[in-house]
Amino acid sequence: MSMNNVRFDQSSKVKTSPLGKNGSLTLGEKAFNIANYAIFIGFMLLCVYPFYYIFINTISDNTLSSKGQIMFWPEGVHFTNYLQVLQIPNIYNALFISFLRTMFGTLLTVLVSGFLGFMMTQRKMWLRRFVYRYFITTMYVSGGIIPIYLLYNQLGLLDNFLVYIIPGMVSAFNLILVKTYVESSVPEELQESAEMDGAGIGVVFFRIVFPLMIPILATLAIFSAVGQWNSFMDTVLYVTKDNLHTLQYVLYRYLSQATALANAVNSGSMAAEDVGVSVQTAQSIKLTVTMIVVIPIFMVYPFFQRFFVKGIMIGAVKG
């Protein structure tokens, strides 16, 4: 194709651009853009408003909040709810335990799931298909609470911090995501080239494949971090020591006790001065606990969000 033709084609593209004759959008295109912005802004408000509603109710007058009179703006602003929740005995130790389990649990889950998922793509791995199908079976078959409790007891995991870490390191769902991602996005020739240069399986994984798995590993990290932070049933079932209780369990226990006391005051069966809940109500306690639990997730999620969509989409294409 000659240069004249190229110039002609380029000028043709200008003539057929979506802009109008004067380089401006047509009336229909403006209407389409306005409708798009209106829909997405409305959807964003629907997503943000529940959290905003919870927050303004936690800092508003508790009496008005319990009557449902706080809808859009806070009234009688105070931070007593947060100050009282932060004075719960053992809460700072529980916060430290929750932070530790989230950090180490997420780190080990990413490393172990990433390596095992990578190994499931290695054709030379002995019994690879059997091992992979064995992991998949665990998605549908579980031993139940009692056998798991007895197993943890024999392994010495009861009243042990490791009970928060070890059981969650490997899951079939994570293996599927990693295996599919590696098969779809990491060229097999790249691994073979490194092996021809003398690289072992560890070098191939950590120096060649691992940097290329950042999107799917970030996805696993956000899954694991949210799960570790929100989990409290393992504390209920397997931990009795106070110094190993997590923040969610302590808040759950406080929520149950304080709600019962607040309801007793509201029903008139107990005096507020006797129970010390004259400021808080059942609803204010629930909403304050909710905000305290979700704030760390709000702080972490934006840093992983840009990897999340790419990782989960590529990893979910094939099973």
Side-chain angles (χ1 to χ4, degrees), residues 61-107:
D61 183 88
N62 290 332
T63 304
L64 297 177
S65 176
S66 63
K67 294 178 180 178
Q69 297 179 359
I70 305 299
M71 295 299 294
F72 299 103
W73 307 107
E75 296 185 24
V77 176
H78 67 89
F79 295 93
T80 307
N81 292 331
Y82 290 96
L83 295 177
Q84 290 193 356
V85 170
L86 293 177
Q87 292 176 359
I88 299 173
N90 199 35
I91 190 169
Y92 292 105
N93 180 73
L95 178 63
F96 181 65
I97 293 295
S98 288
F99 174 76
L100 282 184
R101 71 169 294 179
T102 302
M103 184 177 65
F104 287 110
T106 301
L107 179 63

Side-chain angles (χ1 to χ4, degrees), residues 154 187 281:
Q154 292 184 352
T281 63

